[in-house]
């Protein structure tokens, strides 16, 4: 009998320990699936998808102003609104994935919509009947209402498709690593760094190659290339299907995020007059074996938002039968969501700063001397230095800085997630300061050379803007990667896709916020000076505007936001979860991990592998 038990345990060790299954719902072998073997296909898709997105977004403001003849403020507003929609629609896509279809099938349907949007955009800029005709001297006829409607319809079709692809593809990639396996958990710590590395590799091709092709060869060719690349990347993604691990969709869709939050708040309010016990052990909670059988993780009680603990008060027999109770883990999941919302609010200003890259930074660059070795480079191509600096910084961060700091802190990540975000926020503050100083110099050159015309080139090299782009790229290693990793890591176990949308929605709200700020500042400054010359800080003619004043405004916002972030970070409580238990010895303390800080606190705990049969795990979930 002992030998049979050992043989059965050896068989179970061949499978993943986190309840992952294949596309048909069967247990998967750990050695043949997941890890970088599966992520290679996903990373390939991400590179091509980012090439397609930035191939459109990087130079969109130029297309709107030169081809569709839109003014500066409306074009900036339209770019921000579309980019905001691209980053906001993932909220719906993540909810559908976490609650109904799962990440794989949600991505599959949405990716086809995304590809359809790219095809329509390519047609809009290629077919003569779908875009305004321009003469050799650069003059373009006004776009008809039908042409504008078709172009924006194509753009927002792409945004709709992004809703199901963006939140699920990165999360699906992280799912390929088993948190219950110590080696895979360690490798997973580097996943988001290299994920963003591939993402920005695609962006680099877009801003270096596609933008140049669009302005010098043709818009049709410039959009056809990323569309074909996107189609090929989808084939690459589906080719890797046998190697993927899938997280089963919870059977109880009533436990969706919105309903869970509502239920916890209702229970807490209903029990508002009942006193809280002195010990968290007196609150309602399932046995450890229940979580193990269900393939879920139990969360440790935290003192934050104590009023919500009333939702887990143990009820009388009559109450028990009348309505469903809340557990400590469910209450802690709601606490996590509230905490993430607070952190999310403090990331909106940095996301607004990022929105300048494809709008005002590009328009600012078009006024400067862009000649390089006899070639006139597109202003949007300067964004390549963001990508280059990030691509160079990620390996240094992952292979040099993290191991160096890890030896001092004992944290597998080197620094905590919020420390990483704080460094990113500080670097973005420097980005705005650099942009302001460059604009001050540009305005001085304009006054000295009297180049106030809308089409006049300011005799100042565009490479004066290089420091702000480089700082933005280095800052993204800490900020963008840190935000993505933070919200994935701190999300409740069954809401990982929805958690990732905190990252995407932050970028979306940042774009909408920038659109609102540009509109309000334009109206306020134009109205304030109506009695004089009626000039706006952000006018159609940037040579006769005051963009430097707008950058001062953004700088002040960044300083206030930095102070707010530090206050939030000092009070944030990281997720604390139990990773491994021994079902044969229920009294054994569990291995506890404070995930955001990368700490594993074992105390007297024994590190024992899971012994639940994989078939039982599959049935439970």
């Amino acid at each position: 009998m002992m030998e049979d038990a050992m043989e059965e345990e050896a068989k179970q060790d061949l499978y993943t320990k986190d309840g992952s299954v294949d596309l048909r719902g069967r247990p998967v072998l750990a050695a043949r699936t997941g890890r970088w073997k599966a992520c290679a296909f996903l990373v390939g898709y991400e590179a091509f998808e980012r090439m397609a997105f930035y191939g459109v977004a990087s130079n969109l403001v130029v297309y709107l102003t030169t081809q569709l003849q839109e003014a500066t403020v409306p074009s900036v507003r339209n770019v921000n609104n579309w980019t905001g929609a691209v980053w906001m629609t993932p909220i719906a896509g993540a909810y559908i994935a976490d609650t109904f279809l799962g990440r794989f099938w949600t991505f599959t349907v949405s990716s086809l919509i995304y590809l359809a949007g790219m095809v329509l955009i390519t047609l809009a800029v290629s077919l003569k009947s779908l875009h305004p005709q321009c003469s050799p001297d650069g003059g373009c006829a006004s776009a008809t209402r039908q042409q504008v409607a078709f172009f924006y319809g194509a753009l927002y079709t792409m945004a709709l498709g992004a809703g199901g692809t963006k939140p699920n593809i990165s999360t699906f990639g992280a799912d390929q690593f088993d948190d219950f396996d110590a080696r895979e958990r360690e490798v997973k710590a580097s996943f988001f760094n290299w994920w963003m590395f591939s993402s920005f590799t695609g962006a680099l091709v877009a801003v270096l190659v596609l933008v140049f092709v669009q302005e010098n060869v043709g818009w049709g060719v410039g959009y056809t290339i990323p569309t074909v690349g996107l189609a090929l990347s989808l084939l690459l993604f589906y080719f890797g299907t046998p190697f993927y691990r899938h997280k089963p969709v919870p059977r109880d869709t009533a436990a969706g995020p919105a309903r869970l939050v509502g239920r916890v708040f209702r229970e807490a309010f209903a029990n508002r007059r009942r006193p809280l016990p002195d010990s968290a052990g007196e609150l309602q909670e399932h046995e450890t074996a229940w979580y193990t059988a269900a393939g879920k993780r139990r969360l440790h009680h935290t003192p934050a938002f104590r009023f919500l603990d009333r939702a887990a008060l143990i009820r009388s027999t009559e109450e028990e039968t009348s309505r469903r109770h809340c557990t400590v883990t469910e209450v802690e999941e709601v606490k996590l969501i509230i905490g993430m919302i607070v952190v999310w609010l403090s990331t909106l200003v940095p996301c607004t700063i990022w929105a300048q890259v494809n709008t005002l930074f590009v328009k600012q660059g078009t006024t400067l001397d862009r000649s390089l070795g006899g070639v006139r480079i597109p202003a949007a191509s300067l964004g390549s230095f963001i990508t280059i600096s990030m691509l160079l910084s990620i390996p240094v961060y992952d292979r040099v800085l993290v191991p160096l700091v890890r030896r001092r802190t004992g944290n597998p990540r080197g620094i905590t997630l919020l420390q990483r975000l704080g460094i990113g926020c500080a670097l973005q503050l420097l980005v705005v300061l650099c942009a302001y100083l460059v604009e001050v110099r540009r305005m001085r050159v304009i006054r000295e050379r009297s180049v106030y015309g809308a089409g006049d080139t300011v005799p100042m090299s565009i490479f004066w803007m290089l420091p702000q782009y480089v700082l933005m790229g280095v800052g993204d290693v800490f900020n963008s990667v840190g935000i993505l990793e933070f919200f994935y890591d701190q999300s409740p176990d069954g809401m990982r896709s929805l958690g990732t949308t905190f990252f995407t929605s932050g970028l979306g709200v940042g774009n909408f916020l920038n659109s609102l700020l540009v509109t309000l500042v334009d109206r306020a400054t134009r109205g304030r000076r109506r009695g004089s010359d009626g000039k706006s800080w952000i006018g159609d003619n940037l040579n006769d505007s005051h963009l430097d004043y707008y950058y001062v405004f953004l700088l002040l916002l960044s300083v206030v936001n930095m102070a707010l972030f530090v206050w939030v970070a000092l009070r944030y409580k990281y997720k604390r979860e139990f990773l491994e238990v021994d079902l044969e010895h229920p009294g054994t303390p569990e291995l506890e991990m404070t995930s955001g800080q990368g700490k594993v606190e074992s105390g007297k705990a024994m590190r024992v592998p899971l012994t639940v049969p994989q078939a039982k795990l599959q049935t439970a979930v």
Side-chain angles (χ1 to χ4, degrees), residues 331-379:
V331 171
E332 289 301 316
E333 287 178 341
V334 174
K335 289 181 182 181
L336 284 173
I337 294 173
I338 296 173
M340 289 192 297
I341 290 175
V342 175
V343 173
W344 177 80
L345 290 172
S346 67
T347 66
L348 296 184
V349 171
C351 290
T352 303
I353 304 306
W354 174 255
Q356 313 307 315
V357 172
N358 294 330
T359 53
L360 291 180
F361 282 9
V362 174
K363 290 299 294 181
Q364 185 182 17
T366 58
T367 68
L368 300 176
D369 180 11
R370 294 180 279 149
S371 58
L372 178 64
V375 179
R376 192 165 181 263
I377 62 173

Side-chain angles (χ1 to χ4, degrees), residues 165-403:
T165 58
K166 193 59 186 171
N168 292 306
I169 187 65
S170 60
T171 314
F172 188 62
D175 288 344
Q176 304 310 308
F177 299 94
D178 188 347
D179 277 335
F180 290 88
D181 185 289
R183 289 175 299 177
E184 291 194 25
R185 189 166 64 244
E186 182 177 348
V187 174
K188 184 179 178 178
S190 297
F191 168 74
F192 285 107
N193 290 330
W194 294 103
W195 177 264
M196 294 301 287
F197 185 92
S198 70
S199 176
F200 276 80
T201 300
L204 179 63
V205 175
V207 295
L208 276 182
V209 179
L210 297 182
V211 168
F212 181 84
V213 171
Q214 289 166 2
E215 293 194 19
N216 294 275
V217 179
W219 292 94
V221 178
Y223 282 134
T224 299
I225 294 173
T227 301
V228 173
L230 183 64
L232 293 177
S233 70
L234 284 176
L235 294 178
L236 179 68
F237 171 82
Y238 294 123
F239 186 76
T241 300
F243 303 101
Y244 296 148
R245 298 174 183 175
H246 304 263
K247 291 290 191 297
V249 181
R251 294 180 304 168
D252 184 9
T253 57
R259 295 186 180 182
L260 174 62
V261 172
R263 185 157 56 85
V264 168
F265 270 91
R266 283 196 305 272
E267 287 296 309
F269 181 77
N271 296 330
R272 64 190 180 279
R273 301 187 187 281
R274 295 179 61 184
L276 286 170
D278 296 330
S279 171
E282 299 178 45
L283 297 175
Q284 181 70 45
E285 182 59 292
H286 293 304
E287 294 293 333
T288 300
W290 186 93
Y291 287 101
T292 305
K296 299 179 181 179
R297 287 174 236 176
R298 182 159 64 95
L299 297 181
H300 193 281
H301 177 266
T302 61
F305 307 111
R306 283 214 65 190
F307 68 93
L308 291 178
D309 289 344
R310 288 185 168 84
L313 290 175
I314 298 176
R315 307 197 197 105
S316 63
T317 306
E318 294 77 9
E319 292 175 319
E320 189 73 28
T321 57
S322 63
R323 62 184 191 270
R324 183 178 174 183
H325 66 263
C326 295
T327 63
V328 170
T329 293
E330 289 175 325
V331 171
E332 289 301 316
E333 287 178 341
V334 174
K335 289 181 182 181
L336 284 173
I337 294 173
I338 296 173
M340 289 192 297
I341 290 175
V342 175
V343 173
W344 177 80
L345 290 172
S346 67
T347 66
L348 296 184
V349 171
C351 290
T352 303
I353 304 306
W354 174 255
Q356 313 307 315
V357 172
N358 294 330
T359 53
L360 291 180
F361 282 9
V362 174
K363 290 299 294 181
Q364 185 182 17
T366 58
T367 68
L368 300 176
D369 180 11
R370 294 180 279 149
S371 58
L372 178 64
V375 179
R376 192 165 181 263
I377 62 173
S381 290
L382 208 62
S384 61
F385 287 97
I386 296 178
T387 309
I388 292 172
S389 60
M390 188 174 185
L391 293 178
L392 293 176
S393 299
I394 284 179
V396 174
Y397 177 86
D398 193 69
R399 300 302 182 187
V400 180
L401 181 61
V402 170

